[in-house]
Amino acid sequence: IVRPFASVEKDQEMMLKAYSEISNDLIVMDKWTKFDWSLSLPDNDFFAKIKDNPFLVEGDIFGEYFGKGRLPIMFTEHIKHKIDYCNEFDNSGFVFRIDRNYQNPFGSVNEVNLVTASAILNGKDDNIAVDEFFASKYGAAGEKIRRIMERTEENQKKIFYLNGYYFTQGSYFPEVNHCKNHFFFEIFKEKCEIASDEWFIPVGWRRGEIKDLFKEKDEAEKEAEEFLNEIVELKGEIEKEEYDKIFIRFRNLYYVSKLWKTLAEILFDYVRFFETEDCR
């Protein structure tokens, strides 16, 4: 099995040539998104060119850049879309990332993503499977927790994105290493000039007004606080061990929403100083 990690077309073409020269029995295992694991990245249309080798679809149902298991994340529609898309091609199966840096979803609320993927691949009703998961794990509180979890994907996009642009990631600390170096300064200028269709930048992306970026961060923090408060209200309805685990993840989410909002404010002030030379 070869895992190419080729991100741009010229590299992918080079790898195709290599496959043909090595063996048609070589199994290609490639990601279901272009580039890497952000939920915002496009589908891997290069699958259409893999014709002479069997290939496995590699998918992330763990949240590689959305907390690495430390934050609550449920991305059902993302998983459904990616599986449907990849099944348009003659793939040999799916391989899912479910572990990173000694974190895994088993025994946590994030196991719901594994339940979803498993149900879809086995031709079962994923909605029923998810209901059963929450009921078996959280009892009478299961339905309430599901409704909270269903909002976590959009909430985290508001935290880590800027108007749909994958600006930072949620691994361990506020990181901007998935953004070209000058972009995180340029993006906070009054007159922002960033070309779309570069790495991680959606085609046709426009920043919009700076005030709207901070409105997005304010909304994310407010939502995360609401989630945490709703979880706290369920304390007596959930077994203590399970409550502690889910409480920690939602507390993490709340702190992260404040941290990434502060990061954006710092970058904004930093850029504004060079524009105005106003020390305040």
Side-chain angles (χ1 to χ4, degrees), residues 74-92:
M74 177 177 174
F75 38 91
T76 304
E77 295 309 314
H78 175 76
I79 293 172
K80 284 182 179 179
H81 166 73
K82 293 299 182 188
I83 290 177
D84 286 346
Y85 175 81
C86 295
N87 278 335
E88 294 176 9
F89 308 99
D90 189 21
N91 68 72
S92 301

Side-chain angles (χ1 to χ4, degrees), residues 104-164:
N104 68 69
F106 297 106
S108 80
V109 69
N110 290 4
E111 189 176 340
V112 65
N113 298 313
L114 183 61
V115 169
T116 298
S118 177
I120 295 171
L121 290 180
N122 286 288
K124 298 178 181 178
D125 187 318
D126 62 280
N127 193 51
I128 293 174
V130 168
D131 267 344
E132 290 175 349
F133 166 78
F134 281 106
S136 64
K137 193 166 185 62
Y138 301 109
E143 184 176 349
K144 294 178 183 177
I145 293 175
R146 173 175 179 166
R147 299 309 167 208
I148 299 171
M149 285 294 292
E150 286 175 336
R151 299 170 62 196
T152 53
E153 179 183 343
E154 291 305 312
N155 174 255
Q156 289 192 43
K157 285 180 178 178
K158 291 178 183 177
I159 293 173
F160 298 125
Y161 295 175
L162 286 177
N163 192 27

Side-chain angles (χ1 to χ4, degrees), residues 47-81:
F47 285 151
K49 296 187 178 182
I50 303 175
K51 298 185 182 299
D52 298 325
N53 293 79
F55 79 95
L56 294 167
V57 173
E58 184 180 355
D60 173 38
I61 57 170
F62 175 56
E64 169 70 8
Y65 296 136
F66 285 72
K68 278 189 169 65
R70 293 170 172 81
L71 304 179
I73 183 76
M74 177 177 174
F75 38 91
T76 304
E77 295 309 314
H78 175 76
I79 293 172
K80 284 182 179 179
H81 166 73

Side-chain angles (χ1 to χ4, degrees), residues 59-252:
D60 173 38
I61 57 170
F62 175 56
E64 169 70 8
Y65 296 136
F66 285 72
K68 278 189 169 65
R70 293 170 172 81
L71 304 179
I73 183 76
M74 177 177 174
F75 38 91
T76 304
E77 295 309 314
H78 175 76
I79 293 172
K80 284 182 179 179
H81 166 73
K82 293 299 182 188
I83 290 177
D84 286 346
Y85 175 81
C86 295
N87 278 335
E88 294 176 9
F89 308 99
D90 189 21
N91 68 72
S92 301
F94 288 77
V95 179
F96 291 126
R97 172 174 290 182
I98 55 174
D99 177 271
R100 192 65 159 173
N101 295 95
Y102 310 106
Q103 301 290 318
N104 68 69
F106 297 106
S108 80
V109 69
N110 290 4
E111 189 176 340
V112 65
N113 298 313
L114 183 61
V115 169
T116 298
S118 177
I120 295 171
L121 290 180
N122 286 288
K124 298 178 181 178
D125 187 318
D126 62 280
N127 193 51
I128 293 174
V130 168
D131 267 344
E132 290 175 349
F133 166 78
F134 281 106
S136 64
K137 193 166 185 62
Y138 301 109
E143 184 176 349
K144 294 178 183 177
I145 293 175
R146 173 175 179 166
R147 299 309 167 208
I148 299 171
M149 285 294 292
E150 286 175 336
R151 299 170 62 196
T152 53
E153 179 183 343
E154 291 305 312
N155 174 255
Q156 289 192 43
K157 285 180 178 178
K158 291 178 183 177
I159 293 173
F160 298 125
Y161 295 175
L162 286 177
N163 192 27
Y165 165 36
Y166 182 52
F167 182 62
T168 57
Q169 62 160 291
S171 293
Y172 297 115
F173 306 105
E175 295 185 82
V176 287
N177 63 339
H178 278 77
C179 161
K180 293 197 175 185
N181 290 341
H182 63 287
F183 286 2
F184 51 76
F185 300 121
E186 180 69 30
I187 211 165
F188 287 105
K189 289 182 178 179
E190 283 292 345
K191 294 182 179 179
C192 171
E193 296 181 9
I194 294 181
S196 66
D197 202 21
E198 292 200 46
W199 205 49
F200 281 108
I201 301 180
V203 175
W205 182 83
R206 294 291 181 270
R207 184 199 65 186
E209 296 291 326
I210 290 178
K211 62 181 176 62
D212 292 330
L213 301 184
F214 287 106
K215 180 181 178 182
E216 181 180 61
K217 298 291 165 280
D218 288 337
E219 289 175 353
E221 181 184 354
K222 182 179 178 181
E223 288 172 358
E225 185 174 19
E226 289 174 358
F227 298 162
L228 180 60
N229 290 337
E230 290 176 32
I231 292 296
V232 170
E233 290 176 3
L234 298 174
K235 185 173 183 178
E237 300 180 36
I238 308 171
E239 181 186 334
K240 184 180 184 306
E241 182 179 356
E242 292 300 333
Y243 172 78
D244 289 345
K245 286 192 290 186
I246 197 169
F247 169 77
I248 288 170
R249 280 177 171 76
F250 275 93
R251 185 180 62 182
N252 287 347

